[in-house]
Amino acid sequence: MLGKLSNTQIEEMLYTEMIGRLGCHAEGKTYVYPINYVYDGECIYGCSLEGVKLQVLRAHPEVCFEVDHVKNLANWRSVMAWGTFEELEGEEAAQAANLLMQREMTLIASGQSVHQMRKVDSQATSFVSAIYRIRLAKKNGRFEIEDD
């Protein structure tokens, strides 16, 4: 059976999943990036090192975000959301970083492996972590469950 997720189910998925896919488009190319994220009920928060992803997001901030949970081809749920990328600074960045670290600490406590967010800055290379949010404007979800 195919169907639409309720608003409650959409929110539950956004809160409970850990990896999503961020879609953006620039200069005739479409990019899809897997990201670790945290959801606060309004926005998706993430971090990134400097690179193509941040260049594209800064130039074209309208994005799509997707998250799914797949048991098998006949049992899955998927949420698609659209919103606007915003790079954070100062207190907003600190609050977002705290949300991300709290989420990672929860994963560490559960025994799952996580990467460390880090900031490296030298003359030879410059990898600067950016903290950002996706302010969601629209969300929808679909599911399929196997009929017994």
Side-chain angles (χ1 to χ4, degrees):
M1 175 176 76
L2 294 170
K4 288 186 175 183
L5 294 175
S6 69
N7 287 337
T8 300
Q9 291 169 315
I10 289 170
E11 293 297 306
E12 179 185 333
M13 274 199 67
L14 289 170
Y15 276 113
T16 58
E17 294 300 322
M18 300 172 284
I19 305 293
R21 285 153 209 78
L22 188 58
C24 47
H25 188 82
E27 299 180 18
K29 292 183 180 177
T30 301
Y31 299 88
V32 178
Y33 296 100
I35 63 166
N36 310 16
Y37 77 94
V38 65
Y39 178 64
D40 73 351
E42 294 180 21
C43 300
I44 299 292
Y45 293 89
C47 67
S48 180
L49 297 177
E50 287 295 331
V52 173
K53 175 173 46 179
L54 284 178
Q55 292 170 2
V56 170
L57 292 169
R58 288 171 179 148
H60 303 278
E62 296 304 313
V63 301
C64 182
F65 180 78
E66 188 271 345
V67 63
D68 54 46
H69 186 87
V70 179
K71 290 183 182 177
N72 58 47
L73 293 177
N75 294 281
W76 53 266
R77 294 176 290 153
S78 177
V79 170
M80 185 77 67
W82 294 266
T84 305
F85 165 84
E86 300 172 353
E87 195 163 353
L88 302 176
E89 296 180 358
E91 185 60 30
E92 286 184 315
Q95 290 173 356
N98 188 43
L99 286 173
L100 289 161
M101 287 193 335
Q102 286 176 0
R103 179 65 181 244
E104 287 193 356
M105 294 308 288
T106 301
L107 297 177
I108 290 170
S110 70
Q112 295 188 28
S113 166
V114 296
H115 75 284
Q116 288 187 338
M117 291 188 304
R118 58 184 171 174
K119 183 175 182 178
V120 179
D121 196 9
S122 71
Q123 290 183 351
T125 58
S126 180
F127 297 102
V128 179
S129 291
I131 306 290
Y132 61 87
R133 75 174 152 226
I134 307 299
R135 190 174 299 278
L136 300 181
K138 182 180 176 184
K139 301 173 262 190
N140 68 38
R142 303 277 188 266
F143 71 88
E144 181 175 359
I145 55 173
E146 192 170 31
D147 292 331
D148 290 331

